[in-house]
Amino acid sequence: QYERLLTRMGRQPGLVDLESFSLVNLLSRTEDAATADRGDWALVNAGPGYLTVLFFRGGSLCFYRSKAVADEERSPERFHPALRRELASCAAFYREHLSGTALSRAVLRASNGESRFLPGLVQEELACPVAQLDPGKAVTLPPGADPMDPKWQGLAPALGAALGRRA
């Protein structure tokens, strides 16, 4: 009913989705999806001004935290420690409240331009191997396109939303 009302007003209704869940949709379309049902793994989504961490166990989401980085922590000398603190907090929750023993892997999407230090930071704090999100594993990118290019990392959530959920 809302869609018809908006259409009559000359508006086009759309879908608003959480970016990290769209990334999960994108990951579900890759060959790595077969291993998602085994063990515990993490998705880390770092964007300008926020960090989102999701933990999965047996293919089901068991933890979600999205934390805005305060303006005063966005300076270069404070940004790195702020992200480290958030990752350490999530890792502690995983161990203490979810009885987690070891993450098999973490998938990282960094759209904040800080991708040079983030893989090492995620690996250190979550104590697992880290792979950069590769949208080219789910969709065909143009010839010669670098899936790690900020353009493709920025488009990854939209690609996941367009692909939709898998049953």
Side-chain angles (χ1 to χ4, degrees), residues 70-143:
D71 288 340
E72 62 271 7
E73 292 181 324
R74 292 185 189 181
S75 65
E77 65 276 356
R78 295 189 66 189
F79 188 64
H80 188 263
L83 293 183
R84 178 180 296 282
R85 186 174 53 252
E86 288 307 318
L87 287 166
S89 174
C90 291
F93 189 93
Y94 170 74
R95 289 187 306 274
E96 296 167 14
H97 297 283
L98 299 175
S99 302
T101 55
L103 294 165
S104 63
R105 67 186 170 112
V107 177
L108 170 65
R109 179 215 175 217
S111 65
N112 60 4
E114 297 296 334
S115 59
R116 66 187 179 283
F117 76 84
L118 274 174
L121 184 63
V122 172
Q123 182 172 357
E124 187 177 322
E125 293 302 328
L126 298 185
C128 65
V130 177
Q132 292 278 131
L133 178 76
D134 182 351
K137 289 183 175 181
V139 298
T140 303
L141 301 180

Side-chain angles (χ1 to χ4, degrees), residues 15-28 41 43-54 56 61 64-67 107-113 133 150-165:
L15 171 69
V16 175
D17 202 357
L18 294 177
E19 188 175 81
S20 296
F21 293 138
S22 291
L23 294 175
V24 173
N25 292 342
L26 184 70
L27 289 170
S28 74
W41 65 279
L43 171 62
V44 178
N45 183 20
Y50 70 90
L51 177 74
T52 303
V53 178
L54 295 86
F56 295 85
L61 178 68
Y64 177 92
R65 177 172 171 87
S66 189
K67 176 80 172 170
V107 177
L108 170 65
R109 179 215 175 217
S111 65
N112 60 4
L133 178 76
K151 170 178 65 177
W152 295 111
Q153 292 296 305
L155 285 172
L159 294 169
L163 291 171
R165 294 185 182 98

